[in-house]
């Protein structure tokens, strides 16, 4: 027995290690189906963190809820395409669609009502599986099991066919979720490869995507389809509506693999990407590598306690937040730039898909914590876009400026990187680019500079644009201060106060004013206007009443002081939960006129801290998190917006949020987990503990940072970099913790224009 004891202990030790490893595979909590129902606009297919290829099933393209190409309400699939948008309010991409099927050639997808008319297949949700880096579904119409995984720039398909002499795959180069094909082509290469490209016009005005695909067995037959005309044996074609057909003979349960490289530059680069990232036919190895890549990213924040549903919601939110922006240069560094020319990224990766109106608020601040090296590359990519195209990106998609949404919100992202000192980019060039954005004359800037606000008859969404420009200008002022540029500091800090020019003391709202200084005659703060309509962007006067993150102190003064400010916040939450504009579907997740489903409201619940009523922030946040974020397919209260909605939940579930995203401060809310461990970029760990936390115990009774009592209702980025432990004692009753005047966060530009720079 004595001889066996060391062996037993050895075995127990290593089995314990194995169990520990399994328990810390955080990707097990990721459910890519969350957000595919209701209005979440997410997709369930596989991809890597910030990976170019986002391979996913396509179920429809017909309406707003199909912006990602997939919706939970559907029961048929038309294929698997390689590019997608996650959670956006607009549709595009869906490039290079592959669909396996059996029988005679079919060249059109068919309809949802009659899928058998085309190559569509019926499926059941119980026959679907999705995890981080993997998706599978049984295509019931053909008896085919389709499995998908991915690398950064490549998709890997595994199709298990029944016995058939007509096992087919269509490569549909005319398919897109919302765009129109300009031109496309393909060419069969040898007996087992196909290459080609698609150029389209949609949200991205001039979008290029090249591919190179390799099959695991030789093609038996092939055909081309141009404008619906099938040409048997033709292995090369070009035009607008172009599709390729390939056929195999298969035994029962025979697997055919297809691996596909993508590039925005050329088919040769797509082949190079494929040869570098998928060297053999080991599908399972690629699948495991994808899950490991996700584990590596997710392990930067480890949560303990909470319910299984809360962990699933949290890690799926983190997963969604780490999908975009995604890498856009090939393995050789080449990328297609904003000028549509081919450039090379030297010493960094070039990224695309900057949904900045959304993501500047919380997604990029989250990246500054969990992946600052990538956020550094994001900034370098923005600077390169400025150099290639002449302007910083506003809402960039595949090196196309879409001009969607408002503001110049590259600036808070760049400012935050400069002020937090984690970037190694060219600060002088970045500052030049920031000023160039602010000194432009497009998108209402001419009037903004002339009047100190944008008159409503000069530009739609004038109030929202004025407010957001004012915030961006504050960010420029802070960088100017750091760089010792006194004149610029004074100038842009003055512009940061332009929001006051639209405050109407009579109604108590910030609202539309004409060039003569007169407010609109008719005004209802509940009226919602959409992008390109009225005075507000996807919102109303209530939802924009609090967007002054750079000068909350000044805003409180306008509203009559902290008590009246808190009362106005209460009034917002107590308004009727109505949206009177059927075209502004983004205004969702309503609690009164607070709209969690859209970005302008995301910081609002935290503003009670500034007014000395932190307990109300804690109560509001718990209500929002418990009702608006679940682990179900319809578990998002609005479209996910490229990670912003999810980043909000990640921050809020941990217990804090960047109300002013470029300030380096995080306002404390109400954590939902017993313990959160964040591994910072310097290797130090910042731990948040919430003792006795529960659904009822949502109020902070006291706090300590390290060994000292902590009364501030905010923490700083530097606090987190220093490492240590922030401990909360939680209870079921509201307390005065964080409420006295010395404990509150302060956001102020000063009560008047600044003369000298401190």
């Amino acid at each position: 027995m004595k001889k066996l004891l060391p062996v037993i202990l050895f075995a127990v030790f290593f089995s314990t290690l194995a169990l520990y490893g399994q328990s810390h595979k955080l990707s097990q909590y990721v459910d890519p189906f969350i957000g595919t129902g209701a209005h979440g606009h997410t997709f369930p297919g596989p991809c890597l963190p910030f990976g170019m290829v986002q391979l996913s099933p396509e179920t429809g393209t017909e309406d707003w809820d199909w912006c990602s190409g997939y919706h939970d309400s559907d029961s048929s699939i038309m294929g698997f395409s390689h590019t997608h948008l996650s959670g956006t309010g607009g549709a595009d991409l869906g490039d290079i669609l592959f669909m396996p099927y059996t029988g005679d050639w079919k060249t059109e997808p068919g309809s949802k009502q009659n899928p058998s008319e085309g190559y569509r297949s019926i499926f059941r949700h119980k026959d679907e599986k999705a995890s981080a880096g993997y998706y599978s579904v049984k295509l019931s119409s053909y008896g085919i099991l389709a499995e998908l995984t991915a690398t950064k720039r490549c998709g890997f398909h595994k199709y298990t066919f029944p016995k058939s002499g007509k096992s087919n795959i269509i490569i549909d180069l005319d398919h897109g979720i919302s765009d129109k094909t300009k031109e496309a082509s393909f060419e069969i290469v040898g007996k087992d490869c196909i290459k080609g490209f698609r150029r389209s016009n949609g949200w991205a005005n001039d979008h290029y995507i090249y591919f190179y695909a390799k099959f695991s067995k030789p093609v038996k037959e092939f055909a081309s389809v141009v404008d619906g005309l099938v040409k048997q044996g033709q292995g090369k074609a070009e035009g607008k509506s172009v599709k390729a057909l390939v056929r195999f003979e298969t035994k029962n349960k025979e697997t055919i693999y297809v691996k596909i490289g993508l590039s925005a530059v050329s088919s040769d680069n797509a082949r190079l990407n494929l040869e570098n990232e998928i060297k053999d036919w080991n599908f399972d190895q690629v699948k495991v590598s994808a899950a490991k890549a996700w584990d590596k990213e997710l392990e930067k924040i480890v949560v303990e306690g909470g319910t299984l549903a809360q962990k699933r919601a949290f890690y799926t939110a983190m997963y969604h937040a780490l999908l975009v922006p995604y890498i856009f240069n090939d393995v050789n560094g080449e990328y297609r730039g904003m000028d549509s020319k081919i450039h090379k990224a030297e010493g960094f990766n070039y990224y695309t898909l900057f949904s900045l109106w959304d993501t500047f608020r919380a997604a990029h601040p989250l990246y500054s914590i969990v992946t600052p090296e990538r956020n550094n590359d994001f900034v370098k990519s923005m600077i390169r876009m400025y150099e290639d195209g002449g302007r910083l990106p506003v809402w960039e998609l595949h090196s196309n400026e879409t001009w969607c949404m408002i503001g110049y919100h590259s600036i808070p992202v760049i400012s935050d990187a400069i002020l937090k000192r984690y970037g190694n980019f060219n600060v002088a060039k970045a500052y030049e680019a920031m000023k160039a954005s602010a000194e432009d004359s497009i998108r209402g800037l001419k009037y903004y500079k002339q009047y100190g606000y944008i008159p409503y008859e000069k530009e739609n969404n004038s109030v929202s644009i004025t407010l957001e420009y004012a915030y961006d200008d504050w960010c420029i002022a802070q960088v100017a201060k750091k760089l010792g540029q006194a004149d610029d500091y004074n100038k842009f800090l003055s512009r940061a106060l332009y929001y006051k020019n639209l405050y109407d003391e009579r109604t108590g709202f910030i609202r539309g004013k004409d060039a003569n200084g007169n407010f609109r005659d008719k005004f209802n703060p509940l009226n919602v206007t959409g992008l390109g309509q009225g005075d507000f962007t996807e919102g109303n006067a209530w939802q924009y009443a609090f967007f002054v993150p750079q000068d909350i102190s000044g805003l409180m003064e306008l509203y009559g002081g902290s008590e009246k400010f808190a009362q106005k916040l209460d009034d917002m939450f107590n308004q009727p939960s109505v949206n009177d504009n059927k075209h502004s579907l983004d205004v969702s997740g309503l609690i009164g006129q607070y709209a969690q489903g859209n970005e302008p409201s995301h910081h609002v619940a935290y503003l009670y801290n500034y007014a000395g009523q932190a307990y109300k922030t804690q109560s509001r946040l718990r209500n929002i998190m418990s009702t608006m974020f679940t682990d179900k397919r319809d578990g998002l209260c609005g479209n996910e917006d490229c990670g912003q909605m999810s980043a909000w939940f990640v921050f809020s579930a941990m217990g804090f949020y960047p109300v002013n995203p470029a300030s380096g401060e995080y306002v404390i809310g109400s954590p939902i987990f017993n313990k959160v461990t964040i591994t910072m970029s310097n290797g130090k760990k910042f731990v948040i503990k919430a003792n006795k936390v529960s659904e009822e115990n949502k109020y902070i009774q006291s706090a300590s940072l390290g060994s000292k009592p902590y009364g501030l209702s905010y923490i700083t980025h530097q606090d987190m970099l220093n490492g240590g432990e922030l401990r909360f004692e939680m209870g079921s009753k509201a307390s005065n913790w964080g409420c006295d005047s010395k404990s509150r966060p302060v956001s102020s530009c000063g009560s008047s224009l600044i003369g000298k720079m401190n």
Side-chain angles (χ1 to χ4, degrees):
M1 180 65 186
K2 289 181 179 179
K3 291 181 180 179
L4 288 174
L5 187 58
V7 176
I8 294 170
L9 291 174
F10 188 81
V12 170
F13 173 74
F14 276 98
S15 65
T16 302
L17 278 182
L19 287 172
Y20 179 87
Q22 290 176 5
S23 68
H24 281 70
K25 291 185 183 299
L26 299 176
S27 59
Q28 69 180 299
Y29 298 112
V30 173
D31 182 0
F33 288 120
I34 295 175
T36 60
H39 308 304
H41 296 188
T42 63
F43 60 83
C47 47
L48 262 61
F50 307 103
M52 177 196 298
V53 167
Q54 303 196 340
L55 174 59
S56 193
E58 303 266 324
T59 65
T61 61
E62 65 269 31
D63 205 350
W64 187 65
D65 275 330
W66 283 264
C67 289
S68 74
Y70 179 99
H71 197 266
D72 175 66
S73 61
D74 287 328
S75 59
S76 66
I77 285 175
M78 67 176 84
F80 310 100
S81 64
H82 291 75
T83 62
H84 290 89
L85 295 171
S86 178
T88 55
D92 205 341
L93 305 185
D95 300 291
I96 320 300
L97 182 140
F98 277 59
M99 178 62 179
Y101 64 98
T102 58
D104 295 336
W105 295 132
K106 294 181 179 180
T107 64
E108 298 297 329
S111 66
K112 292 181 181 180
Q113 294 74 24
N114 296 294
S116 61
E117 293 177 347
Y119 54 74
R120 271 184 183 271
S121 174
I122 297 294
F123 78 103
R124 296 176 297 182
H125 288 308
K126 71 176 186 177
D127 293 328
E128 281 185 297
K129 295 179 182 178
S131 59
Y134 175 74
Y135 172 86
S136 70
V137 64
K138 183 178 179 181
L139 302 175
S140 303
S141 300
Y142 307 113
I144 297 170
L145 176 65
E147 299 175 78
L148 312 172
T149 188
T151 65
K152 286 182 183 178
R153 302 172 179 87
C154 304
F156 204 167
H157 304 233
K158 179 183 178 182
Y159 301 144
T160 302
F161 282 93
K163 181 179 180 180
S164 175
K166 294 181 178 181
S167 291
N168 313 311
I169 300 173
I170 185 169
I171 300 95
D172 190 338
L173 303 181
D174 193 29
H175 174 81
I177 294 173
S178 183
D179 60 6
K180 302 296 182 184
T181 308
K182 287 184 174 181
E183 55 179 324
S185 68
F186 78 86
E187 180 181 356
I188 302 291
V189 181
K191 296 181 179 180
D192 59 358
C193 295
I194 181 172
K195 66 179 182 179
F197 94 110
R198 179 176 189 255
R199 184 183 178 194
S200 60
N201 167 255
W203 199 356
N205 183 57
D206 196 14
H207 169 51
Y208 291 79
I209 197 78
Y210 294 84
F211 74 96
Y212 191 94
K214 188 172 179 65
F215 304 100
S216 59
K217 68 180 291 184
V219 174
K220 177 185 175 184
E221 299 177 48
F222 52 82
S224 69
V225 186
V226 179
D227 296 330
L229 180 63
V230 178
K231 291 190 177 181
Q232 188 76 24
Q234 180 170 299
K236 186 176 182 180
E238 61 182 30
K240 284 189 176 181
S241 178
V242 175
K243 303 166 189 179
L245 301 168
V246 296
R247 175 169 289 166
F248 306 89
E249 184 172 348
T250 57
K251 300 174 184 177
N252 189 38
K253 295 186 178 180
E254 181 177 351
T255 296
I256 293 178
Y257 298 94
V258 193
K259 50 187 181 181
I260 300 135
L262 291 194
S263 167
V265 174
S266 67
S267 294
D268 286 341
N269 274 19
R271 177 178 55 81
L272 186 65
N273 291 339
L274 181 59
E275 291 171 349
N276 273 266
E277 293 188 358
I278 308 180
K279 299 181 184 298
D280 53 34
W281 295 102
N282 193 331
F283 181 91
D284 289 338
Q285 185 180 60
V286 174
K287 173 186 170 184
V288 169
S289 294
K292 285 182 177 179
W294 279 109
D295 284 328
K296 182 180 178 181
E297 297 299 326
L298 298 175
E299 285 167 1
K300 294 174 181 177
I301 303 179
V302 177
V303 302
E304 299 176 46
T307 65
L308 176 60
Q310 286 173 327
K311 284 182 178 177
R312 283 164 52 85
F314 180 86
Y315 281 111
T316 304
M318 194 168 170
Y319 166 87
H320 281 140
L322 301 181
L323 290 177
V324 292
Y326 52 72
I327 197 166
F328 201 51
N329 62 272
D330 299 322
V331 293
N332 62 5
E334 292 181 344
Y335 68 91
R336 186 176 297 275
M338 299 293 280
D339 54 3
S340 203
K341 296 178 181 178
I342 307 305
H343 302 272
K344 192 165 188 177
E346 305 269 6
F348 76 104
N349 284 314
Y350 181 88
Y351 286 83
T352 186
L353 217 174
F354 287 95
S355 178
L356 289 162
W357 184 78
D358 308 291
T359 57
F360 87 90
R361 303 166 196 266
H364 283 280
L366 180 63
Y367 306 149
S368 77
I369 295 172
V370 300
T371 183
E373 71 286 351
R374 282 201 185 92
N375 218 26
N376 183 42
D377 278 1
F378 298 160
V379 173
K380 288 183 176 181
S381 299
M382 293 178 192
I383 295 170
R384 187 61 68 86
M385 290 173 187
Y386 168 71
E387 293 174 326
D388 294 345
R391 290 189 173 98
L392 285 172
V394 173
W395 210 115
E396 177 272 346
L397 174 58
H398 282 223
S399 284
N400 283 258
E401 181 53 77
T402 68
W403 298 115
C404 187
M405 307 314 293
I406 60 175
Y408 29 84
H409 295 316
S410 296
I411 286 173
V413 177
I414 298 170
S415 300
D416 189 46
I418 293 172
L419 298 172
K420 286 178 180 171
R421 303 178 183 176
Y422 64 75
N424 65 352
F425 50 86
N426 185 332
V427 173
K429 179 62 71 173
Y431 186 58
E432 172 192 312
M434 293 162 69
K435 287 178 61 179
S437 290
E439 297 295 7
D440 213 329
S441 296
I442 61 172
R443 292 162 58 84
L445 273 166
K446 174 183 175 182
Y447 309 112
Y448 175 78
K449 291 182 290 184
Q450 179 181 349
Y451 295 96
Y453 63 93
I454 300 174
Y456 64 75
E457 75 275 21
K458 302 290 187 181
E459 189 87 16
N460 281 321
N461 301 159
S462 60
V463 178
S464 299
I465 297 172
T466 298
L467 293 177
E468 297 198 20
Y469 282 162
Y471 172 67
D472 292 338
D473 287 343
W474 178 88
C475 294
I476 299 174
Q478 304 317 299
V479 175
K481 182 178 182 179
K482 182 177 178 64
L483 299 179
Q485 300 293 324
D487 290 343
D488 284 347
Y489 173 72
N490 290 324
K491 174 180 181 177
F492 288 106
L493 199 62
S494 298
R495 284 170 53 162
L497 293 168
Y498 280 1
Y499 75 92
K500 292 186 176 183
N501 295 330
L502 291 179
Y503 178 68
D504 178 12
E505 185 176 358
R506 182 174 58 86
T507 62
F509 283 94
I510 298 169
R511 64 189 196 90
K513 181 189 285 187
D514 66 21
N516 294 318
N518 301 311
F519 290 103
R520 280 192 186 272
D521 290 335
K522 295 181 180 180
F523 174 68
N524 181 346
L526 291 174
N527 288 155
V528 172
T529 56
L531 185 63
Q533 313 164 358
D535 294 343
F536 299 96
T537 301
E538 296 181 0
N540 59 24
W542 273 113
Q543 287 139 24
Y544 271 92
F546 302 102
F547 187 76
V548 188
Q550 75 277 17
D551 191 31
I552 295 168
S553 296
L555 188 64
M556 279 197 286
E557 288 180 15
L558 290 182
Y559 289 154
S562 58
E563 290 293 329
K564 290 186 177 180
F565 183 77
Q567 183 59 56
K568 194 170 185 73
L569 287 168
D570 288 342
D571 291 344
M572 179 186 191
F573 282 100
N574 292 326
Q575 292 295 308
S577 295
V578 296
N579 175 358
D580 66 358
N581 189 335
K582 64 181 181 180
H583 299 293
S584 289
L585 299 174
D586 298 83
V587 182
S588 60
L590 290 170
I591 303 175
Q593 281 302 302
Y594 174 89
Q596 177 61 37
N598 209 26
E599 281 63 31
S601 290
H602 277 187
H603 67 295
V604 171
Y606 287 88
L607 296 182
Y608 287 106
N609 284 36
Y610 294 81
Q613 298 184 15
Y615 55 89
K616 286 187 178 178
T617 283
Q618 296 154 29
S619 178
R620 294 290 187 196
L621 288 172
R622 284 300 193 90
N623 180 37
I624 295 165
M625 285 189 280
S626 65
T627 60
M628 304 290 181
F629 294 87
T630 76
D631 65 341
K632 308 303 181 187
R633 289 193 179 214
D634 62 354
L636 295 177
C637 62
N639 46 291
E640 208 275 328
D641 282 320
C642 294
Q644 168 57 28
M645 188 76 67
S646 290
W648 184 95
F649 183 70
V650 170
F651 270 120
S652 297
M654 291 193 293
F656 55 94
Y657 186 80
V659 169
N660 180 336
S663 69
E665 290 184 352
Y666 306 98
V667 178
I668 291 172
S670 180
I672 65 173
F673 297 106
N674 299 92
K675 183 179 179 181
V676 178
T677 302
I678 306 170
T679 301
M680 302 299 292
S681 59
N682 59 5
K684 294 184 179 181
K685 295 186 185 299
F686 186 73
V687 179
I688 303 153
K689 285 188 177 178
N691 293 330
K692 299 181 181 178
V693 67
S694 67
E695 185 177 349
E696 295 78 20
N697 293 346
K698 59 189 173 184
Y699 295 107
I700 298 171
Q701 307 298 303
S702 63
S704 60
L705 182 60
S707 60
K708 297 180 180 180
Y710 193 77
L712 302 179
S713 63
Y714 62 94
I715 59 171
T716 69
H717 192 75
Q718 189 58 52
D719 290 332
M720 298 178 68
L721 286 172
N722 291 340
E725 181 177 288
L726 177 63
R727 182 187 295 266
F728 298 113
E729 299 297 330
M730 307 297 292
S732 60
K733 294 182 179 180
S735 80
N736 288 323
W737 176 87
C739 292
D740 67 78
S741 59
K742 294 181 180 179
S743 300
R744 307 172 191 177
V746 175
S747 169
S748 176
C749 292
S751 58
S752 61
L753 303 186
I754 306 302
K756 293 184 178 180
M757 187 177 74
N758 295 327

